Amino acid sequence: MTIALIVHGGAGSWRPGSDADAIAGTTAAVDAGRKILQKGGSALDAACAAAVVLEDNPIFNAGTGAVLNYDGYVEFDACVMVAERAQIGSVSGLQRVKNPILVARQVMEETDHVMLTGEGALRFARVMGHGDHDPITPARFEDWKSKKATLDIGVGKDAKGSMKIREFLRKHPEYAGGTIGVVALDARGVLCAATSTGGVTLKLPGRVGDTPLSGAGTYANKFAASSATGTGEYVIRSLSCRAISEGVERGKSLDDSVTEMLAQMTRDFDADVGFIAIDANGNAVANHSTAHMPHAFFKDDSKIVARMFVEKA
Ligand code: ASP
């Protein structure tokens, strides 16, 4: 049976000078997941192991080092979905834990629910043994201060609450987030997708993105599984990850399904997004409409391939 795993480190404009860190970070994450799949482990275990490596790496916008919201604290969104029996666990607006993806997994495995949010998600995380963790790194804090100053100058301090973050981010793509995502196929033929993020930088407190919404930013069925990154509002409107699986179910190749979703989102919204996906045969696809989307993957005995962006034909 085929095994495969692909990860992304977020669509956007990667900061100059840190390509090597992004390549090393995504490669390390694939390696962690690959070890599990090679021993016959589950796609769920492999995806979560890879996601934890990315969450713990402060250069990515998830877990430690996630971006701050407008008020200066981190609210995590995370989701894991296993194709088998459509199992889903998800958290939104979760604060002060080290690994949101593991809390999402516990929502799936330890409760009757699909998603927990805010205070309730935090209470659940503590009950599950996730201690208090401050995810704010000095670099992200400095980043937030300077962005916030730029935004305030850009739209006026009085505009708080109604500001158009997306317009701001479009003008300053270097400020965009960098969600992490993983898709895995295990030797039993089970597909799993996992996505984790601090959301978009300077988001209004309480904003929920695409990441924790199955079918939008994260989805897995027996045909294909995928994880999205980029401005979540567009991904939610398009239910992108579900649509990618449906395309494959209707007979499209995975590559065509992802490419057509990107084309549709560019047409409809001029959206800044990216996807990773794997189909039931272990074909792995990455594509994005942004300048960069660091990603890495392997299939069966192949070496790990890591890239900053997908070359356009
Ligand atoms: N999709 C994420 C969100 O909107 C952000 C990102 O991928 O950069 O929350």
Side-chain angles (χ1 to χ4, degrees):
M1 283 299 281
T2 291
I3 53 172
L5 186 139
I6 184 165
V7 309
H8 71 74
S13 271
W14 201 256
R15 295 233 172 89
S18 61
D19 289 19
D21 292 345
I23 294 291
T26 51
T27 301
V30 173
D31 194 41
R34 181 171 69 162
K35 286 196 178 97
I36 292 170
L37 292 174
Q38 282 174 338
K39 283 192 209 125
S42 70
L44 173 63
D45 283 343
C48 287
V52 164
V53 169
L54 294 164
E55 284 182 338
D56 289 345
N57 186 333
I59 64 169
F60 299 113
N61 171 23
T64 303
V67 299
L68 283 59
N69 66 15
Y70 190 84
D71 283 355
Y73 59 93
V74 177
E75 290 172 297
F76 297 116
D77 291 340
C79 180
V80 61
M81 180 162 184
V82 183
E84 201 175 35
R85 299 193 307 284
Q87 300 168 78
I88 307 167
S90 158
V91 289
S92 64
L94 175 63
Q95 294 181 44
R96 299 195 66 98
V97 298
K98 185 162 166 285
N99 294 114
I101 198 69
L102 299 182
V103 184
R105 178 177 179 164
Q106 284 165 321
V107 171
M108 178 176 93
E109 293 181 328
E110 308 294 336
T111 81
D112 295 326
H113 307 310
V114 161
M115 184 192 288
L116 292 176
T117 191
E119 272 299 306
L122 180 59
R123 255 168 68 192
F124 173 75
R126 296 286 182 258
V127 170
M128 288 291 120
H130 297 266
D132 186 41
H133 175 75
D134 181 1
I136 300 177
T137 58
R140 282 291 190 210
F141 184 70
E142 285 309 313
D143 215 39
W144 170 79
K145 266 199 337 207
S146 72
K147 286 172 190 172
K148 196 161 184 247
T150 312
L151 181 69
D152 284 339
I153 291 163
V155 301
K157 286 194 197 320
D158 297 340
K160 182 179 173 185
S162 63
M163 61 206 168
K164 295 289 191 185
I165 300 284
R166 265 177 282 136
E167 278 163 30
F168 173 79
L169 291 177
R170 206 178 280 280
K171 275 188 222 134
H172 299 276
E174 71 281 13
Y175 284 175
T179 296
I180 67 93
V182 187
V183 180
L185 172 71
D186 66 28
R188 287 177 49 240
V190 176
L191 283 159
C192 174
T195 317
S196 179
T197 188
V200 289
T201 195
L202 292 169
K203 67 185 182 183
L204 296 177
R207 178 262 191 189
V208 176
D210 59 307
T211 297
L213 305 178
S214 69
T218 309
Y219 193 71
N221 68 8
K222 66 179 178 185
F223 299 99
S226 55
S227 167
T229 168
T231 302
E233 282 73 8
Y234 302 131
V235 181
I236 295 170
R237 289 185 174 104
S238 310
L239 288 179
S240 312
C241 288
R242 166 80 188 173
I244 288 169
S245 285
E246 278 173 0
V248 175
E249 184 172 358
R250 285 200 299 269
K252 283 181 198 165
S253 72
L254 183 66
D255 199 18
D256 283 351
S257 195
V258 169
T259 307
E260 284 171 25
M261 178 43 60
L262 268 180
Q264 181 193 313
M265 294 177 76
T266 303
R267 206 174 50 233
D268 292 351
F269 309 115
D270 191 19
D272 51 339
V273 287
F275 301 99
I276 53 168
I278 296 182
D279 67 16
N281 298 319
N283 296 310
V285 168
N287 211 341
H288 52 100
S289 60
T290 50
H292 302 121
M293 184 183 73
H295 59 281
F297 56 94
F298 92 99
K299 180 180 176 183
D300 294 326
D301 298 327
S302 81
K303 284 207 290 230
I304 298 172
V305 178
R307 301 187 291 220
M308 286 306 290
F309 55 88
V310 176
E311 303 252 4
K312 304 288 171 192

